[in-house]
Amino acid sequence: MRPRFSCPLLVALFVPLACQSSRSSPVPAGDGGTPRQILVTGTDVVGLSSLAVGPSGALFTMTEREPVLIELSPSGALVRKTPVSGAPEGVDFESLAWLSGESFAIGTEGGCSKTGADRILLATREGDSARVTRTLDVPLSAWGASCDTGHGIEGLCAASGQLVAAIEEAIDGEGKTRLAPIERIDPATGDRAAFRLSLTSTKDEKGKISGLDCRARGQDQIEVLAIERHFAVSRILSFTLPAKGPGTTTPIAPRVLVDLAPHSNDGKRNFEGIVWKDETHALLIVDNQYGEKVSGPNELLEVTLPSAP
């Protein structure tokens, strides 16, 4: 979902922040540097708003306004564009995770008002088409939240046989804190565990989670990369979740890895998906459509990640 309100661009250095608050002082970033732009070529589709990585570095993305699965090469060139059938009426595609083989999970928005839950669609690609085979509900009652048809499952990733989903609409914590609803879901059983991620932006800054990637850390933990953004706010976060067991109401404090605000082009670069490229780099995809306006080319950015603390 594209942010709805603008605010002035914050002036910041492109360096990791070595603590868990956006108001902390930055520290040197090692080699740092300007992100590398990778143009997406071979397709005229705009408004790409998710990113997942599959075998051999293959990249997958989607667009909110057209139910298609788009496969890209690591260099950004179109490999295949596959229409997706079987989605419920009235939902937009917002996020994407590669599961295995030709299986994918798709996070949506727009259908919550009928069921009290946002929905994840499990889909299979077969040749020149893909179809939804199953739906997983993510009830907002797990966080005491109410439905907002304009804010759905904006981040989705898979690791350790689990899905991790982020709801875009933030909820209030104690005092002035803002929390992002996070759910871990077992797609095989439907079992769910609810978590709350502390956001690093203020209520005025309005940052929200707009993309996730995750990977197994041993047998018991899932490591997550996340984008927190809203125009002037644009940051890469990291945090961990337990791979098994119940959720918790205790907020999870993330680590702020990279401040992307200087590279957001005054908020016009709307980062809507993230994946690890390797241990020291991440790829982000830009949603270049806001309403009827196209703000720039279809592009990926490759950014340098700091070393683990």
Side-chain angles (χ1 to χ4, degrees):
M1 178 69 183
R2 182 75 181 184
R4 299 178 180 179
F5 306 97
S6 64
C7 51
L9 180 66
L10 298 178
V11 179
L13 296 175
F14 178 62
V15 292
L17 306 181
C19 52
Q20 297 175 351
S21 170
S22 64
R23 292 173 287 278
S24 300
S25 299
V27 296
D31 56 351
T34 301
R36 181 170 75 96
Q37 182 192 50
I38 302 170
L39 293 177
V40 175
T41 59
T43 177
D44 57 0
V45 171
V46 295
L48 303 176
S49 65
S50 55
L51 192 62
V53 64
S56 303
L59 299 172
F60 299 95
T61 185
M62 308 192 86
T63 174
E64 296 178 26
R65 297 162 181 83
E66 186 178 350
V68 293
L69 175 67
I70 298 169
E71 181 179 349
L72 305 173
S73 71
S75 64
L78 177 68
V79 174
R80 198 187 325 181
K81 180 179 173 183
T82 308
V84 180
S85 63
E89 290 187 10
V91 300
D92 292 332
F93 291 173
E94 289 291 334
S95 53
L96 179 68
W98 175 76
L99 301 178
S100 64
E102 297 293 321
S103 297
F104 301 84
I106 302 166
T108 69
E109 75 174 22
C112 181
S113 59
K114 295 181 180 179
T115 64
D118 283 314
R119 285 179 275 188
I120 296 172
L121 312 179
L122 303 184
T124 301
R125 184 172 63 169
E126 299 172 335
D128 294 332
S129 64
R131 60 185 178 87
V132 174
T133 58
R134 189 172 156 217
T135 299
L136 300 173
D137 285 344
V138 182
L140 296 185
S141 58
W143 303 276
S146 58
C147 285
D148 183 336
T149 56
H151 295 94
I153 299 174
E154 194 78 5
L156 189 65
C157 59
S160 300
Q162 304 290 302
L163 288 168
V164 178
I167 305 297
E168 184 182 22
E169 182 68 9
I171 57 177
D172 289 333
E174 295 182 2
K176 297 181 179 180
T177 61
R178 299 168 61 253
L179 306 173
I182 304 290
E183 183 130 280
R184 190 195 69 222
I185 306 157
D186 186 330
T189 65
D191 290 343
R192 299 185 296 264
F195 301 87
R196 293 157 173 80
L197 178 70
S198 294
L199 292 166
T200 67
S201 55
T202 66
K203 288 186 177 181
D204 290 337
E205 290 172 327
K206 301 186 179 78
K208 304 175 184 71
I209 299 301
S210 68
L212 296 179
D213 193 22
C214 50
R215 61 188 182 182
R217 180 189 281 183
Q219 295 183 343
D220 301 325
Q221 297 286 321
I222 297 173
E223 183 179 8
V224 185
L225 275 183
I227 303 168
E228 180 181 355
R229 65 94 181 96
H230 184 83
F231 287 100
V233 174
S234 195
R235 300 166 185 149
I236 299 176
L237 314 179
S238 71
F239 61 96
T240 59
L241 294 176
K244 300 176 182 178
T248 177
T249 59
T250 301
I252 299 168
R255 180 185 176 210
V256 181
L257 298 183
V258 178
D259 188 353
L260 292 167
H263 308 287
S264 69
N265 190 20
D266 292 333
K268 295 182 180 66
R269 265 182 174 158
N270 181 32
F271 300 110
E272 290 261 333
I274 186 169
V275 296
W276 270 285
K277 180 185 177 185
D278 53 42
E279 288 298 319
T280 57
H281 297 88
L283 292 175
L284 300 100
I285 200 161
V286 175
D287 180 354
N288 63 355
Q289 187 172 21
Y290 183 35
E292 298 302 318
K293 296 181 179 179
V294 176
S295 59
N298 286 324
E299 60 179 333
L300 299 158
L301 287 191
E302 180 184 316
V303 301
T304 300
L305 300 173
S307 301

